[in-house]
Amino acid sequence: MTEAPDTTASDSQKAPVQYHWGETNGKRYKRGSRLPKKTGTPTPAAETPHVPWKWEEDGYTVIRGTARSAPGCHNVCGILSYVKDGKLVKVEGDPEDPYNQGRLCSRCLCIPDYVYSKDRLLHPMKRAREDRGKDKFVQITWDEAYDIIVHEFKKVADKYGVDKIAMCQGTGRDIHQVTRLNACMGSPNEGVPYFAGNSCYLPRIASMACMLGGSCVMDASQFLPKRYDDPRYTVPEYCIIWGHQPFYSNADGFYGHWILDLMKRGMKVAVVDPQLSWVAAKAGRDWLRVRPGGDGALAMAMLKVICDEQLYDKEFCDLWVYGLDALCERVKEYDLDDLCEKAWVDKEDVVRVARTYATSHPAAIQWGVALDQQTGGQQAAHAITAMWCITGNLDIPGGNVMADACWGIEQPNWVGTWGWDELMDDEEQSKRIGIDRYPMFAVGFKNMSSNATIEAWQRGEIPIHAAYIVTNNFLATMGAQAETQLEWYKQIDFIVVEDLFMTPTMMALADVVLPAATYEERDGFGGLNAYRISCINKAIEPVGDSKADNTIFLELGKRLTDAIKPENDDIAWPWDNVQEMWDYALEDGGFTWEELRDATWKYPEFQYRKYEKGLLRPDGKPGFRTETGRAEVYSMVFHHTMWSGLDPLPSYVEPVESPYSDPEDAKEYPYIVTSGARVPHFFHSEQRQIAKLRALHPDPLVYIHPDTAAKEGIEEGDWVWLENKHGKCKYKASFNDTYDPRVMQAEHGWWFPERTDEAEENTENEMDGLFGVFESNINNLVPFDAGVSGFGSNYKAMMCKIYKA
Amino acid sequence: MSAKGIFVDANWCTGCESCILACQQEHGYSEKEFGVKVFKLGPLHINDEEKHFEYDFLPAFTEWCDLCEERTAKGKKPTCVQHCQAQCLDWGPVEELAKKVTSRKQYLVGINE
């Protein structure tokens, strides 16, 4: 029997910044943090093998490394790069790497085509502001590019304040040092300001952070280098795959085919998805064909079954969970029939899946972005997290486990706060957009709020006067109502875009273009997962003048600091080169970058049931890093911020603009369409210019029930318009009779890089040369509203009508 | 010498199409050439009441497939077999592989006849 947790957790938010000196390779660096300095280093996993990172083989030099990034990806697969005469010939999966075990997806296999694409950007460029949208770029040197950026950012800082400079990112590239780039100048504004509701993973992460003081991930043995064979691991008996297409998306640092590995080892699945995906077909009766936007109702229905039937783990809850009684009272307020009816799922199926989940040990939930892309998604995430807490599937083998920064290394951490406390004072930090409006952003979560930014634009204000857009093609990917947003962004005084190809966003908005390099052209290490740290090893010299994102940040960061906040000169970017920067970043792990390269990957010793062992809290006591020290299904963070409308307990919030919240509009827009139907060959808006990948999926598709199509006079392969009150877009119809006839799914991220003539000849009309980005753009239909939390807009639950184009 | 071939366990093929790209890259093929192609079967409504669907992805091999002679001569697996994310492909002498075929979703193609 384990001791119950202490209930006096220290509040790291209010702790003063503590500075200390770190030492790496004989150099001393000033560091600062509000968290206490960790003592000792984690124990490495004993099974970590020692493998060479470079060798000669049949006339090739083979370089072992990690595939992240560019291109965008959320994984850190082990790869072998085959190089001949300085040229990358092919890439293979590394059979010795426990992560992907020799496998590789189509995007990585195609890397040589990507690296040597004729469309790669080779040089920095500039363009006069009045020529935005027109192909009038002029090649410049890196020095000139840096000089312009420093000059323009300084101008904005002097005129409007440094907080009006925003670092705007996307997803999937190893660019988390960008938080240091804004912090070094004293601007707290970094995030995805065009992405309504910050609608990707952050709603779930923030919900988990408010409940658990950290976040959880499904345990597919990825923390253990021996993987499924490790005796400490248990294959889950049952797994609910919720709003997630694991095999094609590999989201959130989770290699999707681990799910398949577990199914081969006996794991049964339930699938919550409007689409009969391949894995949904494997779930049989446990495929729950949820209404897009109905996930919150379904989650509360399941939670109600578990609570009402007392299927929770009473002993576990008594020791480690806060709020079970309140939760049991809360679910009594709901009617099960009503919830199931709103979710469009049979009650019998809901009850069976809830019972099976609660009575299987261990059981896991692997969830996806669908939960982040609906108003009410944050509340649904709260309910689902409560499911694995109260059933005792929290931090156990084969359950959902607490995942802290790997090796205690903060730099690649998911919440991206590198430099936050040591480079900015309280006054500067207080100018983060949205922390007053949406309190969830104030509680340990350092992004700017997209919706607070959008609301400012809507009021006619200019919340951003300079933008550094890196890894993002938001006109094609995450920008809700992108045409409206383009008009807003055109008001920004100065815009840098850093990417690998001339994207529509770059063509529309960039004053300075910075060409980034792929993972084959740079050194680094793979972050964004909690399991292990692995080395990115440069295989070839960068193509053209392109540079690694991280190198650009280091070089530009020094200059920006010196020009805008010189008092940070000593501590912001003290490194002579990127390798020194890595050594510093890896310091908490107790090894240097070269030592990491020699090992290729390093797993720390992973511990289950960390709450029993005092491994989750800074004070070393058992329990969770929360106010009550317990896993809070009744969240004290939400309790203290109830004034904003946040609810301490799980709830069901119907999305805006749905058949239930807006029945009048439903008469004109009778269907529900989701965005982001996944294609294995594209990472969001990338890879459309890679011939082999595009050949496998040439057109933007909308998937529709043939009965609906017949009713609307549409035949398979027809081009159709999807439309609602926000806008319309054009897709090619693909039939599938397993959908609910009221539901359709459209792909996202579409633009047409082959329409270069349009762009190149376009020196007059700024809208004509944007590679057709607004044409097949499902985001035209997305409302901005993200509800009370500021997290989650309806990217996956838009009302619409459909007609032949 | 006995014929060699490829064994497909389509119970597990997820349609990720890694095999297609692996083959193209190994052989220097263009987007119009491929040693393997993946076809979709279904979803067929076997029993709607039970939500029983037949929904499969079926890799088929073309004349461009040479069973990765160069790789296998060096003791490596054919590239499609190695990179298959579902690990649902195998290769070897057809007599050996034939022993693995126990369901209608598993099949065998002889390539080096």
PDB file of all heavy atoms in Angstrom, chain A residues 303-332:
ATOM      1  N   LEU A 303     -18.363   8.330 -19.759  1.00  0.00           N
ATOM      2  CA  LEU A 303     -18.009   8.634 -18.379  1.00  0.00           C
ATOM      3  C   LEU A 303     -19.206   8.354 -17.455  1.00  0.00           C
ATOM      4  O   LEU A 303     -19.046   7.846 -16.344  1.00  0.00           O
ATOM      5  CB  LEU A 303     -17.596  10.111 -18.315  1.00  0.00           C
ATOM      6  CG  LEU A 303     -16.665  10.578 -17.199  1.00  0.00           C
ATOM      7  CD1 LEU A 303     -15.457   9.670 -17.030  1.00  0.00           C
ATOM      8  CD2 LEU A 303     -16.208  12.010 -17.498  1.00  0.00           C
ATOM      9  N   LYS A 304     -20.378   8.675 -17.954  1.00  0.00           N
ATOM     10  CA  LYS A 304     -21.602   8.434 -17.160  1.00  0.00           C
ATOM     11  C   LYS A 304     -21.805   6.943 -16.905  1.00  0.00           C
ATOM     12  O   LYS A 304     -22.118   6.544 -15.780  1.00  0.00           O
ATOM     13  CB  LYS A 304     -22.820   9.032 -17.880  1.00  0.00           C
ATOM     14  CG  LYS A 304     -24.125   8.872 -17.111  1.00  0.00           C
ATOM     15  CD  LYS A 304     -25.260   9.612 -17.783  1.00  0.00           C
ATOM     16  CE  LYS A 304     -26.595   9.278 -17.119  1.00  0.00           C
ATOM     17  NZ  LYS A 304     -26.660   9.675 -15.688  1.00  0.00           N
ATOM     18  N   VAL A 305     -21.597   6.132 -17.937  1.00  0.00           N
ATOM     19  CA  VAL A 305     -21.750   4.681 -17.760  1.00  0.00           C
ATOM     20  C   VAL A 305     -20.753   4.183 -16.709  1.00  0.00           C
ATOM     21  O   VAL A 305     -21.108   3.430 -15.791  1.00  0.00           O
ATOM     22  CB  VAL A 305     -21.525   3.948 -19.109  1.00  0.00           C
ATOM     23  CG1 VAL A 305     -21.471   2.438 -18.894  1.00  0.00           C
ATOM     24  CG2 VAL A 305     -22.623   4.314 -20.101  1.00  0.00           C
ATOM     25  N   ILE A 306     -19.503   4.645 -16.815  1.00  0.00           N
ATOM     26  CA  ILE A 306     -18.466   4.175 -15.888  1.00  0.00           C
ATOM     27  C   ILE A 306     -18.789   4.601 -14.449  1.00  0.00           C
ATOM     28  O   ILE A 306     -18.636   3.817 -13.509  1.00  0.00           O
ATOM     29  CB  ILE A 306     -17.081   4.702 -16.329  1.00  0.00           C
ATOM     30  CG1 ILE A 306     -16.687   4.075 -17.670  1.00  0.00           C
ATOM     31  CG2 ILE A 306     -16.016   4.400 -15.275  1.00  0.00           C
ATOM     32  CD1 ILE A 306     -15.477   4.718 -18.339  1.00  0.00           C
ATOM     33  N   CYS A 307     -19.253   5.831 -14.293  1.00  0.00           N
ATOM     34  CA  CYS A 307     -19.561   6.328 -12.946  1.00  0.00           C
ATOM     35  C   CYS A 307     -20.838   5.703 -12.394  1.00  0.00           C
ATOM     36  O   CYS A 307     -20.853   5.180 -11.278  1.00  0.00           O
ATOM     37  CB  CYS A 307     -19.695   7.846 -12.951  1.00  0.00           C
ATOM     38  SG  CYS A 307     -18.134   8.702 -13.177  1.00  0.00           S
ATOM     39  N   ASP A 308     -21.907   5.745 -13.187  1.00  0.00           N
ATOM     40  CA  ASP A 308     -23.192   5.222 -12.694  1.00  0.00           C
ATOM     41  C   ASP A 308     -23.100   3.744 -12.338  1.00  0.00           C
ATOM     42  O   ASP A 308     -23.713   3.286 -11.383  1.00  0.00           O
ATOM     43  CB  ASP A 308     -24.291   5.421 -13.755  1.00  0.00           C
ATOM     44  CG  ASP A 308     -24.735   6.876 -13.857  1.00  0.00           C
ATOM     45  OD1 ASP A 308     -24.246   7.701 -13.049  1.00  0.00           O
ATOM     46  OD2 ASP A 308     -25.558   7.192 -14.748  1.00  0.00           O
ATOM     47  N   GLU A 309     -22.330   3.002 -13.129  1.00  0.00           N
ATOM     48  CA  GLU A 309     -22.221   1.556 -12.870  1.00  0.00           C
ATOM     49  C   GLU A 309     -21.057   1.240 -11.934  1.00  0.00           C
ATOM     50  O   GLU A 309     -20.725   0.075 -11.728  1.00  0.00           O
ATOM     51  CB  GLU A 309     -22.070   0.806 -14.200  1.00  0.00           C
ATOM     52  CG  GLU A 309     -23.263   1.007 -15.123  1.00  0.00           C
ATOM     53  CD  GLU A 309     -23.197   0.136 -16.390  1.00  0.00           C
ATOM     54  OE1 GLU A 309     -22.296  -0.717 -16.486  1.00  0.00           O
ATOM     55  OE2 GLU A 309     -24.054   0.331 -17.268  1.00  0.00           O
ATOM     56  N   GLN A 310     -20.425   2.298 -11.410  1.00  0.00           N
ATOM     57  CA  GLN A 310     -19.292   2.148 -10.473  1.00  0.00           C
ATOM     58  C   GLN A 310     -18.205   1.218 -11.008  1.00  0.00           C
ATOM     59  O   GLN A 310     -17.712   0.335 -10.318  1.00  0.00           O
ATOM     60  CB  GLN A 310     -19.796   1.667  -9.107  1.00  0.00           C
ATOM     61  CG  GLN A 310     -20.721   2.695  -8.466  1.00  0.00           C
ATOM     62  CD  GLN A 310     -21.292   2.226  -7.148  1.00  0.00           C
ATOM     63  OE1 GLN A 310     -20.644   1.519  -6.395  1.00  0.00           O
ATOM     64  NE2 GLN A 310     -22.519   2.627  -6.864  1.00  0.00           N
ATOM     65  N   LEU A 311     -17.870   1.428 -12.246  1.00  0.00           N
ATOM     66  CA  LEU A 311     -16.837   0.601 -12.881  1.00  0.00           C
ATOM     67  C   LEU A 311     -15.442   1.193 -12.693  1.00  0.00           C
ATOM     68  O   LEU A 311     -14.475   0.677 -13.209  1.00  0.00           O
ATOM     69  CB  LEU A 311     -17.138   0.458 -14.386  1.00  0.00           C
ATOM     70  CG  LEU A 311     -18.475  -0.189 -14.742  1.00  0.00           C
ATOM     71  CD1 LEU A 311     -18.708  -0.152 -16.250  1.00  0.00           C
ATOM     72  CD2 LEU A 311     -18.520  -1.632 -14.231  1.00  0.00           C
ATOM     73  N   TYR A 312     -15.367   2.291 -11.963  1.00  0.00           N
ATOM     74  CA  TYR A 312     -14.057   2.913 -11.718  1.00  0.00           C
ATOM     75  C   TYR A 312     -13.259   2.087 -10.708  1.00  0.00           C
ATOM     76  O   TYR A 312     -13.793   1.203 -10.048  1.00  0.00           O
ATOM     77  CB  TYR A 312     -14.234   4.354 -11.225  1.00  0.00           C
ATOM     78  CG  TYR A 312     -15.323   4.541 -10.219  1.00  0.00           C
ATOM     79  CD1 TYR A 312     -15.132   4.173  -8.880  1.00  0.00           C
ATOM     80  CD2 TYR A 312     -16.561   5.063 -10.606  1.00  0.00           C
ATOM     81  CE1 TYR A 312     -16.144   4.335  -7.960  1.00  0.00           C
ATOM     82  CE2 TYR A 312     -17.573   5.221  -9.679  1.00  0.00           C
ATOM     83  CZ  TYR A 312     -17.368   4.847  -8.355  1.00  0.00           C
ATOM     84  OH  TYR A 312     -18.374   4.983  -7.439  1.00  0.00           O
ATOM     85  N   ASP A 313     -11.976   2.415 -10.595  1.00  0.00           N
ATOM     86  CA  ASP A 313     -11.081   1.726  -9.671  1.00  0.00           C
ATOM     87  C   ASP A 313     -11.107   2.497  -8.344  1.00  0.00           C
ATOM     88  O   ASP A 313     -10.399   3.479  -8.172  1.00  0.00           O
ATOM     89  CB  ASP A 313      -9.666   1.691 -10.271  1.00  0.00           C
ATOM     90  CG  ASP A 313      -8.662   0.938  -9.412  1.00  0.00           C
ATOM     91  OD1 ASP A 313      -8.880   0.839  -8.184  1.00  0.00           O
ATOM     92  OD2 ASP A 313      -7.660   0.458  -9.978  1.00  0.00           O
ATOM     93  N   LYS A 314     -11.931   2.029  -7.440  1.00  0.00           N
ATOM     94  CA  LYS A 314     -12.197   2.764  -6.192  1.00  0.00           C
ATOM     95  C   LYS A 314     -10.904   2.960  -5.387  1.00  0.00           C
ATOM     96  O   LYS A 314     -10.618   4.060  -4.899  1.00  0.00           O
ATOM     97  CB  LYS A 314     -13.238   1.975  -5.376  1.00  0.00           C
ATOM     98  CG  LYS A 314     -13.661   2.614  -4.072  1.00  0.00           C
ATOM     99  CD  LYS A 314     -14.641   3.763  -4.318  1.00  0.00           C
ATOM    100  CE  LYS A 314     -15.306   4.269  -3.029  1.00  0.00           C
ATOM    101  NZ  LYS A 314     -14.386   4.718  -1.994  1.00  0.00           N
ATOM    102  N   GLU A 315     -10.123   1.919  -5.280  1.00  0.00           N
ATOM    103  CA  GLU A 315      -8.920   1.990  -4.449  1.00  0.00           C
ATOM    104  C   GLU A 315      -7.933   3.005  -5.022  1.00  0.00           C
ATOM    105  O   GLU A 315      -7.363   3.825  -4.302  1.00  0.00           O
ATOM    106  CB  GLU A 315      -8.282   0.601  -4.386  1.00  0.00           C
ATOM    107  CG  GLU A 315      -7.184   0.495  -3.360  1.00  0.00           C
ATOM    108  CD  GLU A 315      -6.538  -0.894  -3.383  1.00  0.00           C
ATOM    109  OE1 GLU A 315      -7.279  -1.901  -3.385  1.00  0.00           O
ATOM    110  OE2 GLU A 315      -5.293  -0.962  -3.420  1.00  0.00           O
ATOM    111  N   PHE A 316      -7.778   2.973  -6.353  1.00  0.00           N
ATOM    112  CA  PHE A 316      -6.872   3.926  -7.007  1.00  0.00           C
ATOM    113  C   PHE A 316      -7.373   5.358  -6.805  1.00  0.00           C
ATOM    114  O   PHE A 316      -6.611   6.259  -6.486  1.00  0.00           O
ATOM    115  CB  PHE A 316      -6.764   3.596  -8.500  1.00  0.00           C
ATOM    116  CG  PHE A 316      -5.846   4.512  -9.250  1.00  0.00           C
ATOM    117  CD1 PHE A 316      -4.482   4.294  -9.250  1.00  0.00           C
ATOM    118  CD2 PHE A 316      -6.341   5.621  -9.933  1.00  0.00           C
ATOM    119  CE1 PHE A 316      -3.622   5.159  -9.923  1.00  0.00           C
ATOM    120  CE2 PHE A 316      -5.499   6.485 -10.608  1.00  0.00           C
ATOM    121  CZ  PHE A 316      -4.131   6.252 -10.603  1.00  0.00           C
ATOM    122  N   CYS A 317      -8.677   5.536  -6.966  1.00  0.00           N
ATOM    123  CA  CYS A 317      -9.241   6.888  -6.813  1.00  0.00           C
ATOM    124  C   CYS A 317      -9.081   7.392  -5.382  1.00  0.00           C
ATOM    125  O   CYS A 317      -8.777   8.563  -5.161  1.00  0.00           O
ATOM    126  CB  CYS A 317     -10.720   6.899  -7.200  1.00  0.00           C
ATOM    127  SG  CYS A 317     -10.987   6.664  -8.961  1.00  0.00           S
ATOM    128  N   ASP A 318      -9.295   6.504  -4.396  1.00  0.00           N
ATOM    129  CA  ASP A 318      -9.141   6.916  -3.001  1.00  0.00           C
ATOM    130  C   ASP A 318      -7.749   7.458  -2.746  1.00  0.00           C
ATOM    131  O   ASP A 318      -7.564   8.419  -2.009  1.00  0.00           O
ATOM    132  CB  ASP A 318      -9.393   5.718  -2.066  1.00  0.00           C
ATOM    133  CG  ASP A 318     -10.878   5.434  -1.909  1.00  0.00           C
ATOM    134  OD1 ASP A 318     -11.686   6.285  -2.350  1.00  0.00           O
ATOM    135  OD2 ASP A 318     -11.226   4.369  -1.376  1.00  0.00           O
ATOM    136  N   LEU A 319      -6.770   6.842  -3.367  1.00  0.00           N
ATOM    137  CA  LEU A 319      -5.378   7.245  -3.114  1.00  0.00           C
ATOM    138  C   LEU A 319      -4.922   8.419  -3.970  1.00  0.00           C
ATOM    139  O   LEU A 319      -4.212   9.294  -3.494  1.00  0.00           O
ATOM    140  CB  LEU A 319      -4.453   6.057  -3.406  1.00  0.00           C
ATOM    141  CG  LEU A 319      -4.252   5.050  -2.286  1.00  0.00           C
ATOM    142  CD1 LEU A 319      -3.481   3.855  -2.806  1.00  0.00           C
ATOM    143  CD2 LEU A 319      -3.527   5.692  -1.105  1.00  0.00           C
ATOM    144  N   TRP A 320      -5.319   8.444  -5.223  1.00  0.00           N
ATOM    145  CA  TRP A 320      -4.621   9.323  -6.169  1.00  0.00           C
ATOM    146  C   TRP A 320      -5.486  10.299  -6.947  1.00  0.00           C
ATOM    147  O   TRP A 320      -4.965  11.127  -7.677  1.00  0.00           O
ATOM    148  CB  TRP A 320      -3.835   8.467  -7.194  1.00  0.00           C
ATOM    149  CG  TRP A 320      -2.891   7.510  -6.550  1.00  0.00           C
ATOM    150  CD1 TRP A 320      -2.999   6.156  -6.500  1.00  0.00           C
ATOM    151  CD2 TRP A 320      -1.693   7.839  -5.842  1.00  0.00           C
ATOM    152  NE1 TRP A 320      -1.954   5.609  -5.803  1.00  0.00           N
ATOM    153  CE2 TRP A 320      -1.116   6.631  -5.391  1.00  0.00           C
ATOM    154  CE3 TRP A 320      -1.038   9.036  -5.535  1.00  0.00           C
ATOM    155  CZ2 TRP A 320       0.065   6.578  -4.661  1.00  0.00           C
ATOM    156  CZ3 TRP A 320       0.156   8.987  -4.810  1.00  0.00           C
ATOM    157  CH2 TRP A 320       0.688   7.778  -4.382  1.00  0.00           C
ATOM    158  N   VAL A 321      -6.803  10.152  -6.865  1.00  0.00           N
ATOM    159  CA  VAL A 321      -7.662  10.985  -7.715  1.00  0.00           C
ATOM    160  C   VAL A 321      -8.430  11.990  -6.856  1.00  0.00           C
ATOM    161  O   VAL A 321      -8.913  11.644  -5.768  1.00  0.00           O
ATOM    162  CB  VAL A 321      -8.643  10.111  -8.528  1.00  0.00           C
ATOM    163  CG1 VAL A 321      -9.648  10.975  -9.290  1.00  0.00           C
ATOM    164  CG2 VAL A 321      -7.870   9.215  -9.493  1.00  0.00           C
ATOM    165  N   TYR A 322      -8.538  13.215  -7.334  1.00  0.00           N
ATOM    166  CA  TYR A 322      -9.316  14.230  -6.629  1.00  0.00           C
ATOM    167  C   TYR A 322     -10.588  14.523  -7.411  1.00  0.00           C
ATOM    168  O   TYR A 322     -10.534  14.877  -8.592  1.00  0.00           O
ATOM    169  CB  TYR A 322      -8.494  15.514  -6.478  1.00  0.00           C
ATOM    170  CG  TYR A 322      -9.228  16.613  -5.748  1.00  0.00           C
ATOM    171  CD1 TYR A 322      -9.406  16.559  -4.370  1.00  0.00           C
ATOM    172  CD2 TYR A 322      -9.774  17.697  -6.439  1.00  0.00           C
ATOM    173  CE1 TYR A 322     -10.091  17.552  -3.689  1.00  0.00           C
ATOM    174  CE2 TYR A 322     -10.464  18.692  -5.773  1.00  0.00           C
ATOM    175  CZ  TYR A 322     -10.629  18.615  -4.395  1.00  0.00           C
ATOM    176  OH  TYR A 322     -11.309  19.599  -3.734  1.00  0.00           O
ATOM    177  N   GLY A 323     -11.729  14.348  -6.756  1.00  0.00           N
ATOM    178  CA  GLY A 323     -12.983  14.798  -7.361  1.00  0.00           C
ATOM    179  C   GLY A 323     -13.889  13.699  -7.880  1.00  0.00           C
ATOM    180  O   GLY A 323     -14.830  13.990  -8.625  1.00  0.00           O
ATOM    181  N   LEU A 324     -13.639  12.438  -7.507  1.00  0.00           N
ATOM    182  CA  LEU A 324     -14.485  11.357  -8.027  1.00  0.00           C
ATOM    183  C   LEU A 324     -15.956  11.550  -7.630  1.00  0.00           C
ATOM    184  O   LEU A 324     -16.855  11.402  -8.460  1.00  0.00           O
ATOM    185  CB  LEU A 324     -13.989   9.989  -7.541  1.00  0.00           C
ATOM    186  CG  LEU A 324     -14.859   8.805  -7.992  1.00  0.00           C
ATOM    187  CD1 LEU A 324     -14.792   8.615  -9.499  1.00  0.00           C
ATOM    188  CD2 LEU A 324     -14.489   7.515  -7.270  1.00  0.00           C
ATOM    189  N   ASP A 325     -16.186  11.875  -6.352  1.00  0.00           N
ATOM    190  CA  ASP A 325     -17.575  12.037  -5.900  1.00  0.00           C
ATOM    191  C   ASP A 325     -18.279  13.156  -6.663  1.00  0.00           C
ATOM    192  O   ASP A 325     -19.427  13.016  -7.087  1.00  0.00           O
ATOM    193  CB  ASP A 325     -17.617  12.329  -4.390  1.00  0.00           C
ATOM    194  CG  ASP A 325     -17.163  11.123  -3.583  1.00  0.00           C
ATOM    195  OD1 ASP A 325     -17.125  10.014  -4.171  1.00  0.00           O
ATOM    196  OD2 ASP A 325     -16.821  11.290  -2.398  1.00  0.00           O
ATOM    197  N   ALA A 326     -17.550  14.268  -6.828  1.00  0.00           N
ATOM    198  CA  ALA A 326     -18.137  15.396  -7.568  1.00  0.00           C
ATOM    199  C   ALA A 326     -18.430  14.998  -9.013  1.00  0.00           C
ATOM    200  O   ALA A 326     -19.453  15.386  -9.589  1.00  0.00           O
ATOM    201  CB  ALA A 326     -17.174  16.584  -7.538  1.00  0.00           C
ATOM    202  N   LEU A 327     -17.547  14.197  -9.572  1.00  0.00           N
ATOM    203  CA  LEU A 327     -17.745  13.731 -10.952  1.00  0.00           C
ATOM    204  C   LEU A 327     -18.994  12.845 -11.035  1.00  0.00           C
ATOM    205  O   LEU A 327     -19.806  12.974 -11.954  1.00  0.00           O
ATOM    206  CB  LEU A 327     -16.502  12.966 -11.429  1.00  0.00           C
ATOM    207  CG  LEU A 327     -16.592  12.332 -12.812  1.00  0.00           C
ATOM    208  CD1 LEU A 327     -16.760  13.385 -13.901  1.00  0.00           C
ATOM    209  CD2 LEU A 327     -15.348  11.488 -13.107  1.00  0.00           C
ATOM    210  N   CYS A 328     -19.137  11.935 -10.067  1.00  0.00           N
ATOM    211  CA  CYS A 328     -20.300  11.045 -10.068  1.00  0.00           C
ATOM    212  C   CYS A 328     -21.601  11.847  -9.937  1.00  0.00           C
ATOM    213  O   CYS A 328     -22.621  11.484 -10.534  1.00  0.00           O
ATOM    214  CB  CYS A 328     -20.186  10.025  -8.937  1.00  0.00           C
ATOM    215  SG  CYS A 328     -18.889   8.798  -9.247  1.00  0.00           S
ATOM    216  N   GLU A 329     -21.544  12.929  -9.151  1.00  0.00           N
ATOM    217  CA  GLU A 329     -22.706  13.811  -9.058  1.00  0.00           C
ATOM    218  C   GLU A 329     -22.954  14.514 -10.398  1.00  0.00           C
ATOM    219  O   GLU A 329     -24.072  14.616 -10.879  1.00  0.00           O
ATOM    220  CB  GLU A 329     -22.495  14.876  -7.965  1.00  0.00           C
ATOM    221  CG  GLU A 329     -22.661  14.335  -6.551  1.00  0.00           C
ATOM    222  CD  GLU A 329     -24.011  13.664  -6.347  1.00  0.00           C
ATOM    223  OE1 GLU A 329     -25.033  14.307  -6.639  1.00  0.00           O
ATOM    224  OE2 GLU A 329     -24.044  12.475  -5.931  1.00  0.00           O
ATOM    225  N   ARG A 330     -21.854  15.004 -11.015  1.00  0.00           N
ATOM    226  CA  ARG A 330     -21.974  15.740 -12.272  1.00  0.00           C
ATOM    227  C   ARG A 330     -22.643  14.904 -13.370  1.00  0.00           C
ATOM    228  O   ARG A 330     -23.544  15.371 -14.056  1.00  0.00           O
ATOM    229  CB  ARG A 330     -20.580  16.195 -12.717  1.00  0.00           C
ATOM    230  CG  ARG A 330     -20.479  16.697 -14.167  1.00  0.00           C
ATOM    231  CD  ARG A 330     -21.420  17.832 -14.524  1.00  0.00           C
ATOM    232  NE  ARG A 330     -21.173  19.062 -13.790  1.00  0.00           N
ATOM    233  CZ  ARG A 330     -20.306  20.008 -14.172  1.00  0.00           C
ATOM    234  NH1 ARG A 330     -19.631  19.870 -15.280  1.00  0.00           N
ATOM    235  NH2 ARG A 330     -20.149  21.089 -13.451  1.00  0.00           N
ATOM    236  N   VAL A 331     -22.216  13.653 -13.512  1.00  0.00           N
ATOM    237  CA  VAL A 331     -22.757  12.871 -14.633  1.00  0.00           C
ATOM    238  C   VAL A 331     -24.239  12.548 -14.429  1.00  0.00           C
ATOM    239  O   VAL A 331     -24.952  12.269 -15.391  1.00  0.00           O
ATOM    240  CB  VAL A 331     -21.952  11.569 -14.901  1.00  0.00           C
ATOM    241  CG1 VAL A 331     -20.536  11.899 -15.310  1.00  0.00           C
ATOM    242  CG2 VAL A 331     -21.978  10.631 -13.705  1.00  0.00           C
ATOM    243  N   LYS A 332     -24.687  12.622 -13.167  1.00  0.00           N
ATOM    244  CA  LYS A 332     -26.124  12.392 -12.914  1.00  0.00           C
ATOM    245  C   LYS A 332     -26.981  13.472 -13.575  1.00  0.00           C
ATOM    246  O   LYS A 332     -28.166  13.264 -13.847  1.00  0.00           O
ATOM    247  CB  LYS A 332     -26.395  12.373 -11.404  1.00  0.00           C
ATOM    248  CG  LYS A 332     -25.874  11.122 -10.718  1.00  0.00           C
ATOM    249  CD  LYS A 332     -26.542  10.929  -9.342  1.00  0.00           C
ATOM    250  CE  LYS A 332     -26.184   9.610  -8.709  1.00  0.00           C
ATOM    251  NZ  LYS A 332     -24.797   9.528  -8.227  1.00  0.00           N
TER     252      LYS A 332
END
